[in-house]
Amino acid sequence: MLAVARGDEPADLLLRGGRVFVPHTREWVDVDLAIADGRVAGWGGRDAHEVVDVGGAALTPGFIDAHMHLESTKLWVDEFVRSVLPHGTTAVAADPHEVANVFGVRGVAALADAARSLPFTFGVCASSCVPASPFESPGAEVGVPELEELIDDVGSIGVAEVMNFPAVIAGDSEFRAKIAAAGWRRVDGHAPGLCGCALDAYLVAGVESDHESTMLDELVEKRRKGMWVFIRQGSASQNLRDLIASVLEHGTDRVALCTDDREPDTLRELGHVNDCVRLAVECGVRAEDALVMATVNPAEYHNFHHLGSLGPGYQADVLCFDTLDTWEPARVWQAGRLVAQHGRMVPGAVPDSAAPEWMRGSVHLPDVVDAADLTIDPPASGTVKVIGVTAGSLSTTAMVVDLGDASVDVARIAVLERHRRTGRIGLGYASGFGLQRGAIGSTVAHDAHNVMLVGTRDTSGPADMAVAAARLREIGGGQVVVLDGQVLGEVRLPIGGLMSDRPSSEVADELTHLVALARWHLGVELAAPFMQLSFLGLSVIPELRLTDKGLVDVTRFELTGVDGRA
Amino acid sequence: MLAVARGDEPADLLLRGGRVFVPHTREWVDVDLAIADGRVAGWGGRDAHEVVDVGGAALTPGFIDAHMHLESTKLWVDEFVRSVLPHGTTAVAADPHEVANVFGVRGVAALADAARSLPFTFGVCASSCVPASPFESPGAEVGVPELEELIDDVGSIGVAEVMNFPAVIAGDSEFRAKIAAAGWRRVDGHAPGLCGCALDAYLVAGVESDHESTMLDELVEKRRKGMWVFIRQGSASQNLRDLIASVLEHGTDRVALCTDDREPDTLRELGHVNDCVRLAVECGVRAEDALVMATVNPAEYHNFHHLGSLGPGYQADVLCFDTLDTWEPARVWQAGRLVAQHGRMVPGAVPDSAAPEWMRGSVHLPDVVDAADLTIDPPASGTVKVIGVTAGSLSTTAMVVDLGDASVDVARIAVLERHRRTGRIGLGYASGFGLQRGAIGSTVAHDAHNVMLVGTRDTSGPADMAVAAARLREIGGGQVVVLDGQVLGEVRLPIGGLMSDRPSSEVADELTHLVALARWHLGVELAAPFMQLSFLGLSVIPELRLTDKGLVDVTRFELTGVDGRA
């Protein structure tokens, strides 16, 4: 490396004739890049074993996602990397929160191991809130010792989003210890709507960033108070248009872009971080400023000191754009090796890096779960509490419904503990799916990822739900659509019941197809029924949720009965 | 703290009615600051034990010096802090390079200890180049184990300026190990004039910053290549005016301000970091941008994550400016405590924190050094190599002078090893002082800080030089002026022969007076003769130097004889 830098030995690769983006001065500089051992060894012409003339193209550092969850893509890490490298993403800071809920530290370690052999910087953050609440039954918990293990032994780059902000603000000693465990590393936050004194306390406790702003005022307050803000543009939560005015007015300091949760079809149709950049530019941000938010800023925040720039010494993650109009790189070099061009991976560039076998077969249900087990006894009052689901919102409402009123859309819902084969089942009612027939089920069910089922209110519901449960056990996890005792369709997610082992495009097709089946055969009206279903067990988002322990009144933060009169 | 943040308990102090500077958005926000336990606990009105109404004044974070050497101020750390707090400096990144040359790790540890009790953030960097070359005889050396000790045990914030850039560029294994010892911490550079391939190699080796740029092109190249640049405005090296165009054109990213070396009279007359800010604004930089370079940027670079902002959670280092015209803060709070107002320290705010006794009495010379010891035998040729000194430049020229030519200004120069009482003496000639009579001497003599003497060419020279040496031994180090066997004046620097134990203003007066004595009584023509003298032993700056081992031809990097014909 040094010899190449000095000009004493030939470089591995010379990228000739590019306009190199300099994030530190927001300039474009006409200069050749000499690359050796995966890094930029020097600027300016040098002998090289291979010379690539890029003919005046724009060269930028690889894009970095400031915050994301791999599991949302439903892809294992090798396939995820194949999906995003062609779009120019070469690094992410990932919170493997769902894997941690299913497998704990060893799951995160397996993921980090699998990522290590890939041409990608897969920064793993140490999940801090597993389980999300005492009302949930995950496969594993992450206490202070486990979090320290994630940092010291697994090599986590920081503490992942501290979602339990009420505990942090209250000064809870476990969270104090978790934040302290970060040491010099970063502590990511999760502070939807937090403002005023509560935000002050959250910051005083040591949280440094947030990606949950949805309103401009909220973002502005966080920036002023010194928080790093990650503007999110995910599949469901799309906040960039609402927040970008802050960048237009006050620049890019301490601002980065992130995807948080992107589904495989979003990856395929819109892209990844490059889509965030494209949208920012569409909203009036200068290309140079958008690039800063997608390269050097997230690198700086996450202590990726070797990324985010094309200066000598930096890792040679280089995007080559023939034009900046589409923000689709014509070529992508990762650590100096060509890995993608014109939207496609270079064959063989990303080796297979399979999940270990023990991450399969994680759906542990009793041998028999029958319709009776899934049949709820309505209370004597005939009036029940119902989880009200609204299209496009992760919040629910606590409805009270007279079961005698047939005009109200009410379905059955069940959560089956599936990690320890306890046979524990929570039963309740949900409204808003528009389900007319059959049942749907999923092992993706935040945050504990137990089996979650929705079936019709009539007596066929529990029978179809039982079939769904049996099928999910059989295939080791996934999502299914059942009608009249038959499995109409399914997406297999055998890795922890969360992720596929199939190629990205197949997974995207299967998921789209499954939603279509639910719509056409069961009458489901929600645009993203499985996504919404997967959040009905998350006992920290208001107002009413269901876990295997029963209904949770999130507002009061306590378990509650199903009787609407109680 | 958390309770105050939440608003549940009263703050220690409420700063009411200020316009708070937000470096992250470069805005001024009208908001009250609640302070508790030395930190900003929250924004907005809260109950408080003490309320100070600042009546619309501007409140900014305390200033941070990105790179400096305490020893250049000739003040011990408590007195240094008293000198700069009234100017608004509340934190520095200090390279205790001279202390390390005299005392090694234990000296740096003593300094860090002494600083710990002061209301100041005194970040100690781990000196990386002690000694500066094999031609020097310091009191201690810092090899890889000592550097690791400075980082792991003494708590250094990073590796201090790696001055030996030729070794770094050549891939020297010791320097590779020293840079690796930084771990996640920073590695400061020192790369005067370095450019092109050599700069590339220096960066590839892992160096991250530089404060030695003197030309705009040089600074621009460093910035483009991703280096952090510290714009220096010291007593001797004043680079801001030459470099600031880069900030005007390309903004403040990765730019900070530093003083490097400021003498006590400069501190008194011009100030400290506030003087750099003032000058930047005078050169056309927006006040907000100048503040960014003096607060959040150096904080970010040095991983002072608790400094550089007044957001909740940050340390309450607050400067209150009635007007930004003079850049002299009307009041200074450090960690929430008022320490200075209207240019003066609050009495008692900075406790005495004396250097340990063993740091005194560090001048170990033989019992007798007489004129004969200091008399050089001229070579048979009568022609000698002479160190050519130019006013205002640290570089020297290698002159060749016929001693028979009385028209050339030539003085005697001697370097006496003073750490181990070896009695080793280097003798030579220097030109440019304009010394007509007597002798001057100093124990401040970069980097080894041996005793350095200059005396007249005639036979009285060695006699007066011997008196100077004896006096320096007697007072335990300092700087002296001798004429006709009498000590005309002196500045005592008993701490390591480098620093005074007296108040800043006295030291400034004494130093000014000593220069005046040298000028009026000895005929010395240089404006800063002791400063220039103190660099004549630094064997890494071209072209000719003198150490206790003899004349050093820096260009060839070898010892050389005094015979001008050889």
Side-chain angles (χ1 to χ4, degrees):
Chain A
M1 268 293 280
L2 271 181
V4 175
R6 291 193 303 260
D8 295 341
E9 289 184 20
D12 299 335
L13 171 65
L14 186 73
L15 296 184
R16 180 182 286 164
R19 299 175 57 231
V20 174
F21 178 63
V22 178
H24 324 297
T25 57
R26 302 177 201 228
E27 290 172 286
W28 299 89
V29 176
D30 292 330
V31 72
D32 299 344
L33 293 182
I35 292 167
D37 291 346
R39 292 158 67 194
V40 177
W43 280 21
R46 276 170 178 80
D47 288 338
H49 296 300
E50 184 191 354
V51 177
V52 174
D53 196 311
V54 299
L59 301 181
T60 78
F63 294 147
I64 302 170
D65 192 340
H67 172 77
M68 60 83 69
H69 303 278
L70 172 72
E71 301 91 326
S72 302
T73 70
K74 298 197 173 55
L75 305 173
W76 184 241
V77 63
D78 52 358
E79 191 57 21
F80 166 72
V81 167
R82 291 186 194 109
S83 303
V84 299
L85 275 177
H87 295 298
T89 304
T90 53
V92 299
D95 173 13
H97 180 80
E98 324 308 344
V99 165
N101 265 275
V102 176
F103 296 116
V105 171
R106 73 172 186 147
V108 177
L111 173 57
D113 279 348
R116 208 159 284 131
S117 62
L118 303 175
F120 199 81
T121 301
F122 193 82
V124 170
C125 304
S127 305
S128 62
C129 298
V130 179
S133 89
F135 309 123
E136 299 193 18
S137 306
E141 304 197 355
V142 177
V144 176
E146 290 79 17
L147 191 112
E148 289 171 348
E149 200 181 335
L150 287 172
I151 289 173
D152 297 335
D153 303 336
V154 179
S156 291
I157 60 172
V159 170
E161 51 176 328
V162 186
M163 297 187 288
N164 196 344
F165 55 82
V168 173
I169 292 167
D172 176 272
S173 62
E174 182 182 339
F175 278 95
R176 279 217 297 270
K178 283 179 170 176
I179 289 171
W184 56 267
R185 296 169 195 83
R186 294 292 190 175
V187 178
D188 284 352
H190 163 109
L194 214 60
C195 62
C197 292
L199 178 60
D200 293 353
Y202 194 57
L203 291 169
V204 161
V207 176
E208 299 178 88
S209 68
D210 178 68
H211 56 271
E212 292 287 340
S213 289
T214 54
M215 291 164 301
L216 183 59
D217 281 357
E218 183 187 352
L219 185 89
V220 167
E221 181 179 345
K222 287 170 179 169
R223 288 190 73 185
R224 285 177 171 171
K225 288 180 172 175
M227 209 167 198
W228 275 82
V229 295
F230 306 150
I231 295 181
R232 173 175 55 189
Q233 189 72 5
S235 285
S237 302
Q238 304 185 346
N239 310 122
L240 193 141
R241 286 185 192 280
D242 297 327
L243 304 177
I244 204 68
S246 173
V247 172
L248 293 171
E249 193 172 355
H250 293 298
T252 59
D253 288 359
R254 298 205 175 180
V255 184
L257 304 172
C258 80
T259 66
D260 202 0
D261 301 289
R262 283 212 166 198
E263 306 274 335
D265 59 339
T266 313
L267 294 181
R268 185 169 57 181
E269 282 148 37
L270 295 177
H272 198 233
V273 178
N274 65 327
D275 176 50
C276 307
V277 171
R278 179 194 299 127
L279 188 58
V281 171
E282 202 178 299
C283 292
V285 174
R286 290 172 57 225
E288 293 77 12
D289 292 342
L291 283 167
V292 162
M293 293 190 289
T295 59
V296 70
N297 277 10
E300 181 191 309
Y301 175 80
H302 286 296
N303 293 305
F304 291 148
H305 289 307
H306 59 308
L307 302 180
S309 169
L310 295 177
Y314 285 84
Q315 185 165 300
D317 292 355
V318 188
L319 311 184
C320 173
F321 291 94
D322 292 334
T323 158
L324 291 182
D325 296 346
T326 64
W327 292 101
E328 292 294 345
R331 274 176 281 189
V332 178
W333 288 267
Q334 195 275 346
R337 211 159 56 88
L338 185 71
V339 289
Q341 46 189 340
H342 304 299
R344 295 182 175 280
M345 286 301 304
V346 170
V350 176
D352 290 336
S353 183
E357 274 304 306
W358 59 258
M359 293 186 90
R360 295 166 184 265
S362 65
V363 180
H364 306 292
L365 291 176
D367 290 341
V368 179
V369 176
D370 59 27
D373 297 324
L374 301 171
T375 303
I376 187 168
D377 292 327
S381 68
T383 301
V384 294
K385 293 178 186 149
V386 172
I387 303 171
V389 179
T390 311
S393 167
L394 296 188
S395 293
T396 63
T397 55
M399 300 167 65
V400 174
V401 173
D402 181 346
L403 284 177
D405 180 355
S407 71
V408 184
D409 171 63
V410 173
R412 298 166 185 273
I413 179 166
V415 177
L416 288 63
E417 193 283 324
R418 63 103 165 170
H419 300 291
R420 297 167 200 279
R421 210 189 303 260
T422 58
R424 194 163 48 238
I425 298 177
L427 297 173
Y429 298 93
S431 174
F433 280 86
L435 188 79
Q436 306 289 335
R437 296 166 290 280
I440 62 174
S442 175
T443 54
V444 177
H446 301 275
D447 276 353
H449 302 291
N450 285 308
V451 171
M452 188 154 261
L453 307 167
V454 171
T456 54
R457 186 170 161 182
D458 66 37
T459 51
S460 74
D464 284 344
M465 289 160 79
V467 170
R471 186 58 185 168
L472 288 172
R473 185 184 56 206
E474 213 168 278
I475 62 176
Q479 297 179 328
V480 291
V481 171
V482 174
L483 181 62
D484 298 335
Q486 302 296 318
V487 176
L488 294 187
E490 66 193 20
V491 177
R492 299 185 185 202
L493 302 171
I495 303 170
L498 300 169
M499 288 170 284
S500 176
D501 54 1
R502 310 291 306 153
S504 167
S505 60
E506 290 182 24
V507 180
D509 286 343
E510 286 173 7
L511 288 166
T512 306
H513 182 59
L514 198 69
V515 169
L517 288 176
R519 168 165 309 186
W520 298 117
H521 291 278
L522 310 193
V524 165
E525 288 164 357
L526 291 174
F530 290 96
M531 200 273 281
Q532 297 218 249
L533 173 63
S534 75
F535 280 96
L536 296 189
L538 184 52
S539 58
V540 293
I541 306 188
E543 297 174 351
L544 194 63
R545 302 279 154 173
L546 183 71
T547 77
D548 57 306
K549 295 180 181 176
L551 272 182
V552 181
D553 178 335
V554 180
T555 315
R556 296 176 176 219
F557 210 57
E558 62 186 22
L559 288 171
T560 185
V562 77
D563 189 342
R565 297 263 165 92
Chain B
M1 268 293 281
L2 272 181
V4 175
R6 291 192 304 260
D8 296 341
E9 289 184 20
D12 298 336
L13 171 66
L14 186 73
L15 296 183
R16 180 183 286 162
R19 300 174 57 230
V20 175
F21 178 63
V22 178
H24 324 296
T25 57
R26 303 178 199 226
E27 291 171 286
W28 299 88
V29 176
D30 292 329
V31 72
D32 300 343
L33 294 182
I35 293 167
D37 291 346
R39 292 159 67 194
V40 177
W43 281 20
R46 278 171 178 79
D47 289 337
H49 297 300
E50 184 190 355
V51 176
V52 174
D53 196 312
V54 300
L59 302 181
T60 78
F63 295 147
I64 302 170
D65 193 340
H67 172 76
M68 60 85 68
H69 303 278
L70 172 73
E71 301 91 325
S72 302
T73 70
K74 297 196 174 56
L75 304 173
W76 185 242
V77 62
D78 51 358
E79 191 57 20
F80 165 72
V81 167
R82 291 186 195 108
S83 303
V84 298
L85 274 177
H87 295 298
T89 304
T90 54
V92 299
D95 173 12
H97 181 82
E98 323 310 344
V99 165
N101 265 274
V102 175
F103 296 116
V105 171
R106 72 172 187 146
V108 176
L111 173 57
D113 279 348
R116 208 159 284 131
S117 62
L118 303 175
F120 199 81
T121 301
F122 193 82
V124 170
C125 303
S127 304
S128 63
C129 298
V130 179
S133 89
F135 308 123
E136 299 193 17
S137 306
E141 303 196 356
V142 177
V144 175
E146 290 79 14
L147 191 110
E148 289 171 346
E149 199 181 337
L150 286 172
I151 288 174
D152 297 335
D153 303 336
V154 180
S156 291
I157 60 171
V159 170
E161 51 176 326
V162 187
M163 296 186 291
N164 195 343
F165 55 82
V168 173
I169 293 167
D172 176 273
S173 63
E174 182 182 341
F175 278 94
R176 277 215 299 268
K178 283 180 171 177
I179 289 171
W184 56 267
R185 296 169 195 81
R186 294 293 191 174
V187 178
D188 285 352
H190 162 109
L194 213 61
C195 63
C197 292
L199 178 60
D200 293 352
Y202 194 56
L203 291 169
V204 160
V207 176
E208 299 178 87
S209 68
D210 178 68
H211 56 271
E212 291 287 341
S213 289
T214 54
M215 293 163 300
L216 183 60
D217 281 357
E218 183 186 354
L219 185 89
V220 167
E221 180 178 344
K222 286 170 180 168
R223 290 191 72 185
R224 285 177 171 171
K225 287 180 173 176
M227 209 167 199
W228 275 82
V229 294
F230 306 150
I231 295 180
R232 172 175 56 190
Q233 190 71 4
S235 286
S237 302
Q238 303 184 347
N239 310 121
L240 193 142
R241 287 185 191 279
D242 296 328
L243 304 177
I244 205 68
S246 173
V247 172
L248 293 172
E249 193 171 356
H250 293 297
T252 59
D253 288 0
R254 299 204 174 181
V255 184
L257 304 173
C258 80
T259 67
D260 203 359
D261 301 289
R262 283 209 167 199
E263 307 272 337
D265 59 340
T266 313
L267 293 181
R268 184 168 59 180
E269 282 149 37
L270 294 177
H272 197 233
V273 178
N274 64 327
D275 176 51
C276 307
V277 171
R278 180 193 299 126
L279 188 59
V281 172
E282 202 178 298
C283 292
V285 175
R286 290 173 56 226
E288 293 78 12
D289 292 341
L291 283 168
V292 163
M293 294 190 289
T295 59
V296 70
N297 276 10
E300 180 191 311
Y301 175 80
H302 286 296
N303 293 305
F304 291 147
H305 289 307
H306 60 306
L307 302 180
S309 170
L310 295 177
Y314 284 85
Q315 186 165 300
D317 292 354
V318 187
L319 312 183
C320 172
F321 292 94
D322 292 334
T323 159
L324 291 181
D325 296 345
T326 63
W327 293 102
E328 291 294 347
R331 274 176 282 191
V332 178
W333 288 267
Q334 195 276 346
R337 211 160 55 90
L338 186 71
V339 290
Q341 45 189 343
H342 304 299
R344 294 183 176 279
M345 286 302 303
V346 170
V350 176
D352 290 336
S353 184
E357 274 305 306
W358 59 257
M359 292 185 91
R360 296 165 183 266
S362 66
V363 180
H364 306 292
L365 291 176
D367 290 339
V368 179
V369 175
D370 59 26
D373 298 323
L374 302 171
T375 303
I376 186 167
D377 292 326
S381 69
T383 300
V384 294
K385 293 178 186 148
V386 173
I387 303 171
V389 178
T390 311
S393 168
L394 296 188
S395 292
T396 62
T397 56
M399 300 167 65
V400 173
V401 173
D402 181 347
L403 283 177
D405 181 355
S407 71
V408 184
D409 171 62
V410 173
R412 298 166 185 273
I413 180 166
V415 176
L416 288 63
E417 193 283 323
R418 63 104 164 171
H419 300 290
R420 297 165 199 280
R421 210 189 303 261
T422 57
R424 195 163 49 237
I425 298 177
L427 298 173
Y429 298 94
S431 174
F433 280 86
L435 188 80
Q436 306 289 334
R437 296 165 291 280
I440 63 174
S442 174
T443 54
V444 177
H446 301 275
D447 277 349
H449 301 292
N450 284 307
V451 171
M452 188 153 261
L453 306 168
V454 171
T456 53
R457 184 170 162 183
D458 66 36
T459 50
S460 74
D464 283 344
M465 289 160 79
V467 170
R471 185 61 184 167
L472 288 172
R473 184 185 55 206
E474 212 167 277
I475 62 176
Q479 297 180 328
V480 290
V481 170
V482 174
L483 181 61
D484 297 336
Q486 301 297 317
V487 176
L488 294 188
E490 67 194 18
V491 177
R492 297 185 185 202
L493 302 172
I495 303 171
L498 300 169
M499 288 171 283
S500 175
D501 54 2
R502 310 292 305 153
S504 168
S505 60
E506 289 182 24
V507 180
D509 285 344
E510 286 173 6
L511 288 167
T512 306
H513 181 60
L514 199 70
V515 169
L517 287 176
R519 167 165 309 187
W520 298 119
H521 292 278
L522 310 193
V524 166
E525 289 163 358
L526 291 175
F530 288 96
M531 200 274 282
Q532 297 217 252
L533 173 62
S534 75
F535 280 96
L536 295 189
L538 184 51
S539 58
V540 292
I541 306 188
E543 297 175 353
L544 195 62
R545 302 279 153 173
L546 182 70
T547 77
D548 58 304
K549 295 181 180 177
L551 271 182
V552 182
D553 179 332
V554 181
T555 315
R556 296 176 175 217
F557 211 56
E558 62 186 23
L559 287 170
T560 185
V562 76
D563 189 342
R565 298 264 165 93

